Structure formats: structure tokens, C-alpha cells
Amino acid sequence: MERTLILFKPDVLQRGLLGEVISRFEKKGLKIVGLKMLKLSPAVAKEHYAHLTAKPFYPGLERFMTHQPIVVMAVEGVEAVEVGRKLAGVTNSRKAEAGTIRGDFSNSTSRNVIHASDSLETAGKEVARFFRKEELFDYKLVLHEYFYAEDELK
Ligand code: UDP
Ligand code: MG
């Protein structure tokens, strides 16, 4: 089972979309193992977006990401990293497929609702960035066998 980090940007709370976007992960069958609301600090924003700090849009991105609370969520499932990216859709929401979160709820490359870890290695670092060990829950989903066949679980 993989774990991945999903982050709902400040536009989600402002636009009243939180329930709807979290619901997409639940319905897909990803198990929520951590969930909390916080205000991102500039320092953590720089760490989270280290690959982008030299870009001209970075100062605006940091301002946006730190000016209002965000919600972070860790989810678990088979190939959860890839599934999370698929549910999110591509970065430029104008090009994101309808049916994806960005495709359905955003029209922007910046105010694009959601972050989803882009690889298993990044996911490990990002889950650890936002959740302490005791904030992640290892529990059994009673309907587990209705989401996956035995051979998929190995
Ligand atoms: N971003 C932006 N303008 C750009 C490219 C990216 O504001 O031209 C922001 C946007 O919020 C995006 C985030 O930077 O989600 C991280 O960019 P990345 O390329 O890692 O895309 P993602 O992994 O979020 O799809
Ligand atoms: Mg990224």
C-alpha cells in the first residue's frame, strides 16, 4: 500500500469546496489516514516548493499559499500516488480533463485547488513534512474487500 500527500489550497476553503473534493478521494476508495487544517509558513512553503523558488511566479505562489489556512490529507491505497495525481488532473486546470478535480473546479495554473505528491519518494517526504507519526492512523476499512480484489493487495 502506498501513502500520498494531498493538500487543499486556500481557494478550497474560500470557495466552500472542501467536502466535495475530499469526497472524491473517499469515493475512489482511498483511505484517509491523516487530515488537518493549518496555516503554511513561508519557510515550509519554500521547502514544499523547493523546485520552484527561482521561478518568477514563486513570490505570488508563496503569498497565496500562506495567506489563508490550508487542509492537508494523507491517503492510502494501491498505487495511491498515481491515483492521487490522476484525480487531481494536470497543473494547468484549463487543460485538465473534465472529471478531474482541477478540470472540474479550476480554470487556473496557480489557483488550482489541490496538490498531490508526484512520486513515491516525494510522497514519503511530504507526508512526513505535514504529519507527525501519531497523527497518522493505521485502521482497517471494513469495506476494504469491496474496493480491492485479493490479488491486488499481494
Ligand atoms: N504554479 C504556478 N504557475 C505556474 C506553474 C505552477 O502558480 O506557471 C504553481 C501551481 O499552484 C502549481 C504549483 O506551483 O500547482 C506547483 O507546480 P508543479 O509544477 O509542481 O505542479 P503540480 O505538481 O502542482 O501539478
Ligand atoms: Mg508538483
Side-chain angles (χ1 to χ4, degrees):
M1 282 291 163
E2 290 180 11
R3 283 184 173 181
T4 191
L5 191 276
I6 305 298
L7 181 161
F8 301 113
K9 301 183 181 186
D11 44 343
V12 173
L13 284 176
Q14 291 295 323
R15 295 173 57 199
L17 294 173
L18 184 63
E20 210 162 339
V21 287
I22 287 181
S23 169
R24 296 216 170 183
F25 289 85
E26 292 183 294
K27 288 178 184 158
K28 184 72 177 170
L30 288 168
K31 182 167 86 173
I32 299 172
V33 295
L35 185 65
K36 66 177 170 185
M37 186 165 155
L38 58 101
K39 197 119 182 279
L40 198 63
S41 68
V44 176
K46 283 186 185 74
E47 194 184 306
H48 188 69
Y49 287 128
H51 60 302
L52 299 174
T53 49
K55 301 273 188 198
F57 61 81
Y58 182 77
L61 175 63
E62 184 180 297
R63 267 197 306 280
F64 173 62
M65 291 299 295
T66 58
H67 86 297
Q68 292 277 320
I70 60 167
V71 171
V72 288
M73 178 169 86
V75 293
E76 187 179 282
V78 174
E79 295 167 17
V81 174
E82 189 183 341
V83 173
R85 293 289 288 188
K86 284 257 191 288
L87 288 181
V90 297
T91 314
N92 179 349
S93 304
R94 290 186 290 277
K95 304 212 184 309
E97 295 284 338
T100 65
I101 290 167
R102 285 166 169 169
D104 288 353
F105 297 116
S106 162
N107 210 13
S108 167
T109 303
S110 172
R111 276 45 168 175
N112 58 2
V113 177
I114 185 171
H115 165 86
S117 305
D118 64 7
S119 71
L120 195 53
E121 194 194 344
T122 313
K125 288 183 192 156
E126 291 184 344
V127 169
R129 176 169 304 137
F130 290 104
F131 292 96
R132 295 194 304 272
K133 234 178 153 205
E134 62 272 22
E135 294 176 320
L136 292 166
F137 295 86
D138 196 14
Y139 64 98
K140 185 176 160 52
L141 263 196
V142 178
L143 295 182
H144 199 62
E145 66 192 84
Y146 294 96
F147 283 110
Y148 298 112
E150 277 169 9
D151 63 294
E152 292 176 294
L153 298 171
K154 282 179 240 111

